[in-house]
Amino acid sequence: MSYNLLKGKKGIIFGALNDMSIAWKVAERSYEEGAEFILTNTPVSMRLGSVDELAKKCNTEVVAADATKDSDLENLIKIAMEKYGKLDFVLHSIGMSPNVRKKLPYDQLSYDYYHKTLDISALSFHKVISQLKKHKAMNDWGSIVALSYVAAQRTLYGYNDMADAKSLLESIARSFGYIYGRESRVRINTISQSPTMTTAGSGVKGIDGLMDFTERMSPLGNATALECADYCITMFSDLTKKVTMQNLFHDGGFSSMGMSLRAMTQYNKSLDIEIDE
Amino acid sequence: MSYNLLKGKKGIIFGALNDMSIAWKVAERSYEEGAEFILTNTPVSMRLGSVDELAKKCNTEVVAADATKDSDLENLIKIAMEKYGKLDFVLHSIGMSPNVRKKLPYDQLSYDYYHKTLDISALSFHKVISQLKKHKAMNDWGSIVALSYVAAQRTLYGYNDMADAKSLLESIARSFGYIYGRESRVRINTISQSPTMTTAGSGVKGIDGLMDFTERMSPLGNATALECADYCITMFSDLTKKVTMQNLFHDGGFSSMGMSLRAMTQYNKSLDIEIDE
Amino acid sequence: MSYNLLKGKKGIIFGALNDMSIAWKVAERSYEEGAEFILTNTPVSMRLGSVDELAKKCNTEVVAADATKDSDLENLIKIAMEKYGKLDFVLHSIGMSPNVRKKLPYDQLSYDYYHKTLDISALSFHKVISQLKKHKAMNDWGSIVALSYVAAQRTLYGYNDMADAKSLLESIARSFGYIYGRESRVRINTISQSPTMTTAGSGVKGIDGLMDFTERMSPLGNATALECADYCITMFSDLTKKVTMQNLFHDGGFSSMGMSLRAMTQYNKSLDIEIDE
Amino acid sequence: MSYNLLKGKKGIIFGALNDMSIAWKVAERSYEEGAEFILTNTPVSMRLGSVDELAKKCNTEVVAADATKDSDLENLIKIAMEKYGKLDFVLHSIGMSPNVRKKLPYDQLSYDYYHKTLDISALSFHKVISQLKKHKAMNDWGSIVALSYVAAQRTLYGYNDMADAKSLLESIARSFGYIYGRESRVRINTISQSPTMTTAGSGVKGIDGLMDFTERMSPLGNATALECADYCITMFSDLTKKVTMQNLFHDGGFSSMGMSLRAMTQYNKSLDIEIDE
């Protein structure tokens, strides 16, 4: 279904790998809603994934860019502006921790890797916004969104330095949201999404048990990638113009739960306690 | 402009008084977006305001109801269900403090009035939701929104017991959001809006200076009633299905600001300090 | 062990019932730290509990007072001031929900009871502070503390309208903290304590399973009543003079946890999933 | 005055420069309270400041260490353990932004400098804790505290990338607080202090106007360095054993204020509005 919510809007979408990716769903939904956009990912991700297929579907192209490199970003923005003029929305869906990949625990991590985690998962957001601003690439009231996770506020076993990176990412959204807002009315927010079984998500330690737990804790269940895409669409639209510098939980209610009946009942099975419903 | 975002959706809108009211704007925008709804307010407010005019514009009717009275609410819901069947959205825009009206300061307030403040401004939300649930009046994935204010988190001079009422309101949104979510997928959220020059807002002590301050503090400026209505539309739509139990700031960034250059510069004038921009 | 942290300090302690009560432990620890204070509780609680025994231990007396009644509070404060002059600290450890007692679920609660829950568990705090202020009963830099629970921020199954009452309580601490702070340097805070197996706590639905869960979630385990008392002592002392309007989590880290290895491992047993530690 | 709150406790204090430093006051107060500790700072800071004088006063020594260098930290911890055996408390009061120093605005900062800001102001905290844990340097129930600022939550003009660094610092406190807590009962917290006229603070743009504003906003006024030291003492003591992974505001109430009468009155002078008190 389409509302033409993004009719005439132009954008850039970072981070679509394959059809499990949230960014992939955002691209599909943006296209349905009338937007035009360029897709981008790193050369490696382009080879590993199937983003070309997505580009075909959305009648667009993929421009390779490493979001940690200013020169790549400048090239990307130049291409986008040649094609579209100024932009209306940008999605940042980028995160990776070499410490997690190499299974280095948080108390024994490599600081080189830690800086890389921050660089890829958080500073890349600063770089993208800096380059957009430098090149006056955003229309007034444009919308920039990055995907985050509740680990920015609450520690989860095994999420490691990605938690710190998400905290930093959310801080960058605030810091830059102030500056880009006051100067060009551009709003910047993060969406804190349920754990999602993307290729990235499936690398998180114990994701199965965790997703069962959050599913039972959340009154509406975990949010899917497609639902997250729908939510991103509203944030790109003209209907949310005065929302900025916020971290918006899109998680079926998880973030506001202390304990649900369903999760407690399941937990109690492990203790052989029965609960009176 | 219309996206048909609420096409086919039915609802109830509480609290439209006159064309400065946020609820008034929500009604207008909901109508433009294809929704049908009943307007409601107390008999007194109906006399003082001009909600009949709004009803005409929106091709609907006004049903008198005091949201603190279960019987009024039952009658209202009965009428709505006869007309529409099940509902998809409800807006609660109700707040009043007799202590504020009578200029009783917070440390010398009347507890009878205090209970009334809570009853009108917060418990009415519980009552509305209770009656909706009791009468199975909401469709699955329906959306209930109440309007709140940052005073729920941070104390503002003169806002008095309304601050406590807003905290309670937001807590009710969470408490009931859990129950109504797990049982019928109904989501419940509050929107924390900028200070707004409505009839209610204009009663707040020192609102002029405050609005100047928040305007200068917020990178995007204060949010207007119309912008708030746009945001409500997204929360009523199918695009935000997994957002629940949240308090969503719609305030041009104010809630995430510590100090802006503009506000500091203005403040410094009172101190005869110049700031280097 | 004693540090004489409260040497020369005078106070009032509300809510000691028996030796499981947090208020009981606060009294014992305050006494050890050199404070003098009056104990108070409702006549019913005085009969049901053993607060007289505590009074003997602490070389003081019990004054009956219903904290929802201004006249009782005035009498209590008068007695305290005759004995001590001005006061330095007050503990509010009062909470009760008739809806919980009568097992009325949140979506079908009695509003009379709801107002009583708020009156007993939250407004009583406002009344205590109002009376203290009215009678100029607090020394400058005095400290007022109420006990709260994480349900004020996150919904827990079965906690019912007590969650709303705790939100209101924390809001009152902020609202009054501003006024009493600016006028008399009195600070007001809430301490959000782990679930505790007090007489009150043991009435909470499913408290056993919940305490097992929070014990495994919290890196330092649940906080005991005695540990909470120690923390209260610091908040009464002169070492925390500039802390006010805060809700302070005293919970072994629970409030900042998303998922621990221990809790996940236990939960997974119910799912027959093994986790790699 | 002394309570012997830290009698027998051993520690390390990072970051004392001169007698305006918070760390300096923490050292003085810790000494008064019976603690023994090593002072440490970078070689450059040791030359610029007067930490030797402090060491004499506190009957201890200064060990030079750059907290961004693992080898320096290992050497420091080795010396401390030889002298004291295991440690009970550590203060981290370290922060510096080359971007701020070079007056590079947030939207045009140097990423090399940005990484340095994070390395000095946040990762150094991770490194300190890592080395302590690796060398089993902390006693059970030891306490580690870092100093933070409200910019971690709310953007302040001119605070630049230090805001992001403080967010990261607070995240590290949570992430490591979980791990060190579950394994050795060590608690880790940050104290979010009022703006303070230290040598570091005085480098912040517009600090004068800001401190005037926060002084008038905070019901108890800004917290001084000495008051912050008192608060740190409570966090090092045995009375706060179950507080961990928290960010604790020590700011006279500022963080919970939306608008005070005093600040509004002052602000209104710049607008020529009079407010009715």
Side-chain angles (χ1 to χ4, degrees):
Chain A
M1 203 214 276
S2 167
Y3 304 100
N4 281 315
L5 257 177
L6 304 185
K7 197 176 176 183
K9 296 210 179 292
K10 323 292 184 187
I12 299 176
I13 294 175
F14 287 82
L17 179 72
N18 56 37
D19 65 4
M20 296 164 74
S21 310
I22 295 173
W24 184 288
K25 303 293 185 191
V26 173
E28 289 185 331
R29 287 292 294 115
S30 297
Y31 183 67
E32 286 170 19
E33 293 296 336
E36 293 174 87
F37 47 83
I38 282 177
L39 296 167
T40 179
N41 213 326
T42 58
V44 173
S45 298
M46 285 172 63
R47 273 198 307 279
L48 291 177
S50 44
V51 67
D52 282 333
E53 183 193 323
L54 177 66
K56 223 172 282 177
K57 269 189 171 184
C58 298
N59 198 20
T60 186
E61 64 185 303
V62 190
V63 176
D66 177 339
T68 65
K69 291 193 184 140
D70 281 336
S71 54
D72 283 20
L73 292 170
E74 294 207 87
N75 179 56
L76 168 68
I77 289 168
K78 205 183 128 197
I79 292 173
M81 291 186 77
E82 277 167 10
K83 196 163 177 179
Y84 301 133
K86 291 203 177 192
L87 305 174
D88 302 290
F89 67 94
V90 173
L91 177 76
H92 177 283
S93 175
I94 301 172
M96 201 275 287
S97 160
N99 282 308
V100 168
R101 290 219 175 161
K102 301 287 187 182
K103 297 185 195 302
L104 298 180
Y106 189 75
D107 53 343
Q108 294 164 47
L109 49 71
S110 146
Y111 291 108
D112 279 350
Y113 287 170
Y114 190 95
H115 274 289
K116 267 183 197 143
T117 300
L118 299 183
D119 207 43
I120 296 169
S121 312
L123 266 78
S124 63
F125 194 44
H126 192 288
K127 288 175 186 175
V128 166
I129 304 172
S130 268
Q131 290 299 335
L132 289 166
K133 184 161 181 298
K134 181 177 164 192
H135 295 283
K136 301 184 198 303
M138 295 294 291
N139 275 314
D140 276 19
W141 301 107
S143 174
I144 302 176
V145 169
L147 297 182
S148 192
Y149 184 46
V150 70
Q153 285 78 36
R154 300 190 211 156
T155 304
L156 290 111
Y157 165 67
Y159 202 66
N160 209 314
D161 59 350
M162 275 305 292
D164 299 342
K166 290 301 193 189
S167 285
L168 188 62
L169 178 78
E170 295 181 10
S171 181
I172 289 170
R174 287 189 297 272
S175 298
F176 230 138
Y178 162 54
I179 289 176
Y180 217 166
R182 77 178 185 203
E183 296 186 13
S184 312
R185 316 284 111 187
V186 172
R187 57 212 146 104
I188 306 179
N189 297 286
T190 51
I191 292 178
S192 186
Q193 160 71 2
S194 293
T196 315
M197 201 50 99
T198 58
T199 303
S202 62
V204 175
K205 227 169 179 174
I207 184 87
D208 288 332
L210 184 66
M211 285 187 70
D212 183 280
F213 177 73
T214 58
E215 174 74 24
R216 287 184 214 261
M217 277 286 272
S218 313
L220 302 181
N222 291 327
T224 66
L226 178 57
E227 288 163 339
C228 186
D230 280 340
Y231 193 40
C232 288
I233 298 302
T234 69
M235 294 311 299
F236 294 155
S237 81
D238 288 340
L239 301 176
T240 54
K241 275 185 180 170
K242 286 292 175 76
V243 180
T244 195
M245 303 173 74
Q246 302 300 314
N247 180 49
L248 302 159
F249 288 102
H250 181 260
D251 62 0
F254 178 78
S255 50
S256 293
M257 289 300 302
M259 183 47 74
S260 72
L261 174 57
R262 285 182 69 211
M264 196 75 249
T265 303
Q266 185 63 29
Y267 185 83
N268 283 345
K269 284 183 192 169
S270 74
L271 304 172
D272 286 322
I273 294 178
E274 271 181 49
I275 195 165
D276 173 27
E277 311 202 8
Chain B
M1 201 214 278
S2 167
Y3 305 100
N4 281 313
L5 256 178
L6 304 186
K7 196 175 177 183
K9 296 210 178 292
K10 323 290 187 188
I12 298 175
I13 294 175
F14 288 83
L17 179 72
N18 56 36
D19 64 4
M20 295 164 74
S21 312
I22 295 173
W24 184 287
K25 303 291 184 192
V26 173
E28 289 186 331
R29 288 292 295 115
S30 296
Y31 184 66
E32 286 170 17
E33 293 295 337
E36 293 174 87
F37 46 84
I38 282 177
L39 297 167
T40 181
N41 213 326
T42 58
V44 173
S45 298
M46 284 172 63
R47 275 198 308 279
L48 292 177
S50 44
V51 66
D52 282 334
E53 182 193 322
L54 177 66
K56 222 172 284 174
K57 268 191 172 182
C58 298
N59 198 21
T60 185
E61 65 185 302
V62 189
V63 176
D66 178 339
T68 66
K69 291 194 186 140
D70 281 336
S71 54
D72 282 20
L73 292 170
E74 293 207 89
N75 178 56
L76 168 68
I77 289 168
K78 205 182 128 198
I79 292 173
M81 292 186 76
E82 276 166 10
K83 196 163 179 180
Y84 301 133
K86 293 203 177 190
L87 305 174
D88 302 291
F89 67 93
V90 173
L91 177 76
H92 177 282
S93 174
I94 301 171
M96 201 275 286
S97 160
N99 282 309
V100 169
R101 290 218 176 162
K102 302 285 188 185
K103 297 186 195 300
L104 298 180
Y106 189 76
D107 53 342
Q108 295 163 47
L109 49 69
S110 145
Y111 291 110
D112 279 351
Y113 287 170
Y114 191 94
H115 275 288
K116 267 184 197 144
T117 301
L118 299 183
D119 208 41
I120 296 169
S121 313
L123 265 76
S124 64
F125 194 45
H126 191 289
K127 288 175 186 175
V128 166
I129 304 171
S130 269
Q131 290 298 335
L132 289 167
K133 184 162 182 296
K134 181 177 164 192
H135 295 283
K136 300 184 197 305
M138 297 293 290
N139 275 316
D140 276 19
W141 301 108
S143 173
I144 301 174
V145 169
L147 296 182
S148 193
Y149 184 45
V150 69
Q153 286 78 37
R154 300 190 210 157
T155 304
L156 289 111
Y157 165 67
Y159 203 65
N160 210 313
D161 58 351
M162 276 304 293
D164 299 342
K166 290 301 192 189
S167 284
L168 188 61
L169 178 78
E170 295 181 10
S171 181
I172 289 170
R174 287 188 297 272
S175 297
F176 230 138
Y178 162 53
I179 290 176
Y180 217 166
R182 76 176 185 204
E183 296 186 13
S184 312
R185 315 283 111 188
V186 173
R187 56 212 147 103
I188 306 179
N189 297 285
T190 51
I191 292 178
S192 186
Q193 161 70 3
S194 293
T196 316
M197 202 49 100
T198 60
T199 303
S202 62
V204 176
K205 225 170 181 172
I207 183 87
D208 288 332
L210 184 67
M211 284 187 71
D212 183 279
F213 177 73
T214 58
E215 174 74 24
R216 287 184 215 261
M217 276 286 272
S218 314
L220 303 181
N222 291 327
T224 66
L226 179 55
E227 288 163 339
C228 186
D230 280 341
Y231 194 40
C232 288
I233 298 302
T234 68
M235 294 311 298
F236 294 156
S237 81
D238 290 339
L239 301 176
T240 55
K241 275 186 180 169
K242 287 292 175 74
V243 179
T244 195
M245 304 173 74
Q246 302 300 315
N247 179 49
L248 301 160
F249 288 101
H250 181 258
D251 62 0
F254 176 78
S255 50
S256 294
M257 288 300 302
M259 182 47 73
S260 73
L261 173 58
R262 285 181 68 209
M264 197 74 249
T265 303
Q266 185 63 28
Y267 185 83
N268 283 345
K269 285 182 193 170
S270 74
L271 304 171
D272 286 323
I273 294 178
E274 271 182 49
I275 196 165
D276 172 27
E277 310 202 9
Chain C
M1 202 214 279
S2 167
Y3 304 100
N4 281 313
L5 256 178
L6 304 185
K7 196 175 177 183
K9 298 211 177 290
K10 323 290 185 187
I12 300 176
I13 293 174
F14 288 81
L17 179 72
N18 56 36
D19 64 4
M20 295 163 76
S21 311
I22 295 174
W24 183 289
K25 303 292 184 191
V26 173
E28 289 186 331
R29 288 292 293 116
S30 296
Y31 184 66
E32 287 170 17
E33 293 295 334
E36 292 173 87
F37 47 83
I38 282 177
L39 297 166
T40 179
N41 213 325
T42 58
V44 173
S45 298
M46 285 171 63
R47 273 197 308 280
L48 292 176
S50 43
V51 66
D52 281 335
E53 181 193 323
L54 177 66
K56 221 171 284 175
K57 267 190 171 183
C58 298
N59 197 21
T60 186
E61 65 185 301
V62 190
V63 176
D66 178 339
T68 66
K69 291 193 185 141
D70 280 337
S71 54
D72 282 21
L73 292 170
E74 292 207 89
N75 178 57
L76 169 67
I77 289 169
K78 204 183 129 197
I79 292 173
M81 291 186 78
E82 277 167 10
K83 197 163 176 178
Y84 301 134
K86 293 203 176 191
L87 305 175
D88 302 290
F89 67 95
V90 174
L91 177 76
H92 177 282
S93 175
I94 301 172
M96 201 275 286
S97 160
N99 282 309
V100 169
R101 288 217 178 164
K102 302 287 186 182
K103 296 186 195 302
L104 297 179
Y106 188 75
D107 53 343
Q108 295 163 47
L109 47 71
S110 146
Y111 291 109
D112 280 352
Y113 288 169
Y114 190 96
H115 274 290
K116 266 184 198 145
T117 301
L118 299 183
D119 208 42
I120 296 169
S121 313
L123 266 77
S124 63
F125 194 45
H126 191 289
K127 288 175 186 175
V128 166
I129 304 171
S130 268
Q131 291 299 334
L132 289 166
K133 183 160 182 300
K134 181 177 163 192
H135 295 282
K136 300 185 199 302
M138 297 293 291
N139 275 315
D140 276 19
W141 301 108
S143 174
I144 302 175
V145 169
L147 296 182
S148 192
Y149 184 46
V150 70
Q153 285 79 35
R154 300 190 210 158
T155 304
L156 289 111
Y157 165 67
Y159 203 67
N160 210 315
D161 58 350
M162 276 304 293
D164 300 342
K166 291 300 192 189
S167 285
L168 188 62
L169 178 79
E170 295 180 10
S171 181
I172 289 170
R174 287 189 297 272
S175 297
F176 231 138
Y178 162 55
I179 290 176
Y180 217 165
R182 76 178 183 201
E183 296 186 14
S184 312
R185 316 284 110 189
V186 173
R187 58 210 145 105
I188 306 180
N189 297 286
T190 50
I191 292 178
S192 186
Q193 161 71 3
S194 293
T196 316
M197 201 50 100
T198 59
T199 303
S202 62
V204 175
K205 226 170 179 172
I207 184 86
D208 288 333
L210 184 67
M211 286 187 70
D212 183 280
F213 177 73
T214 57
E215 174 74 23
R216 286 185 215 260
M217 276 286 272
S218 313
L220 301 182
N222 292 325
T224 66
L226 178 56
E227 288 163 339
C228 186
D230 280 340
Y231 194 40
C232 289
I233 298 302
T234 69
M235 294 311 299
F236 295 155
S237 82
D238 290 338
L239 301 176
T240 55
K241 275 185 180 171
K242 287 290 175 77
V243 180
T244 196
M245 304 173 72
Q246 302 300 314
N247 179 48
L248 302 160
F249 289 102
H250 181 258
D251 61 1
F254 176 79
S255 50
S256 293
M257 288 300 302
M259 183 47 73
S260 72
L261 173 58
R262 284 181 69 210
M264 196 74 250
T265 303
Q266 185 63 30
Y267 184 82
N268 283 345
K269 284 183 193 172
S270 74
L271 304 171
D272 285 323
I273 294 177
E274 272 182 48
I275 196 165
D276 172 27
E277 311 200 10
Chain D
M1 203 215 276
S2 168
Y3 305 101
N4 281 314
L5 256 178
L6 304 185
K7 195 175 177 185
K9 297 210 178 292
K10 323 292 184 186
I12 299 175
I13 294 175
F14 288 82
L17 180 71
N18 57 37
D19 65 4
M20 296 164 73
S21 311
I22 296 173
W24 184 288
K25 303 293 184 191
V26 173
E28 288 185 332
R29 288 292 293 115
S30 297
Y31 184 67
E32 286 170 19
E33 293 295 335
E36 293 174 87
F37 47 84
I38 281 177
L39 297 167
T40 179
N41 213 327
T42 58
V44 172
S45 298
M46 285 172 63
R47 273 198 308 278
L48 292 176
S50 44
V51 65
D52 282 335
E53 183 193 321
L54 177 66
K56 225 172 279 175
K57 269 191 173 183
C58 297
N59 198 20
T60 185
E61 64 184 302
V62 190
V63 175
D66 178 339
T68 65
K69 290 194 186 139
D70 281 336
S71 54
D72 281 21
L73 292 170
E74 293 207 87
N75 178 57
L76 168 68
I77 290 168
K78 204 183 132 199
I79 292 173
M81 293 186 76
E82 276 167 9
K83 196 163 177 180
Y84 301 133
K86 292 203 178 192
L87 305 174
D88 302 290
F89 67 94
V90 172
L91 177 76
H92 177 283
S93 176
I94 301 171
M96 201 276 286
S97 160
N99 282 308
V100 169
R101 290 218 176 162
K102 302 286 187 182
K103 297 186 195 301
L104 299 179
Y106 188 75
D107 53 343
Q108 294 164 47
L109 49 70
S110 145
Y111 291 109
D112 279 351
Y113 287 170
Y114 190 96
H115 275 290
K116 266 183 198 145
T117 301
L118 299 183
D119 207 42
I120 295 169
S121 312
L123 265 78
S124 64
F125 194 44
H126 191 290
K127 288 175 185 175
V128 166
I129 304 170
S130 269
Q131 290 299 335
L132 288 167
K133 183 160 182 297
K134 181 176 163 191
H135 295 282
K136 300 184 197 305
M138 297 294 291
N139 275 315
D140 276 18
W141 301 108
S143 174
I144 301 174
V145 169
L147 296 182
S148 192
Y149 184 45
V150 69
Q153 286 78 36
R154 300 189 211 159
T155 304
L156 289 112
Y157 165 67
Y159 203 65
N160 209 315
D161 59 349
M162 276 305 292
D164 300 341
K166 290 302 192 188
S167 284
L168 188 62
L169 178 78
E170 294 180 11
S171 181
I172 290 170
R174 287 189 296 272
S175 298
F176 230 138
Y178 162 54
I179 290 176
Y180 217 165
R182 77 178 184 202
E183 296 186 13
S184 311
R185 315 286 110 187
V186 172
R187 56 211 146 104
I188 305 179
N189 296 285
T190 51
I191 291 178
S192 186
Q193 161 71 3
S194 292
T196 315
M197 201 50 98
T198 59
T199 303
S202 62
V204 176
K205 228 169 177 173
I207 184 87
D208 288 332
L210 184 67
M211 285 187 70
D212 183 280
F213 176 73
T214 57
E215 174 73 24
R216 286 184 215 261
M217 277 286 272
S218 313
L220 302 181
N222 291 327
T224 65
L226 178 56
E227 288 163 338
C228 186
D230 280 340
Y231 194 40
C232 289
I233 298 302
T234 69
M235 294 311 299
F236 294 156
S237 81
D238 289 338
L239 301 176
T240 54
K241 275 186 181 171
K242 286 291 175 76
V243 180
T244 195
M245 303 173 74
Q246 302 300 314
N247 179 49
L248 302 160
F249 288 101
H250 181 259
D251 62 1
F254 176 79
S255 50
S256 294
M257 288 301 301
M259 183 47 73
S260 73
L261 174 57
R262 285 181 68 211
M264 196 75 249
T265 303
Q266 185 64 29
Y267 185 83
N268 284 345
K269 284 183 193 169
S270 74
L271 304 171
D272 285 323
I273 294 177
E274 271 182 51
I275 195 165
D276 172 28
E277 312 203 7

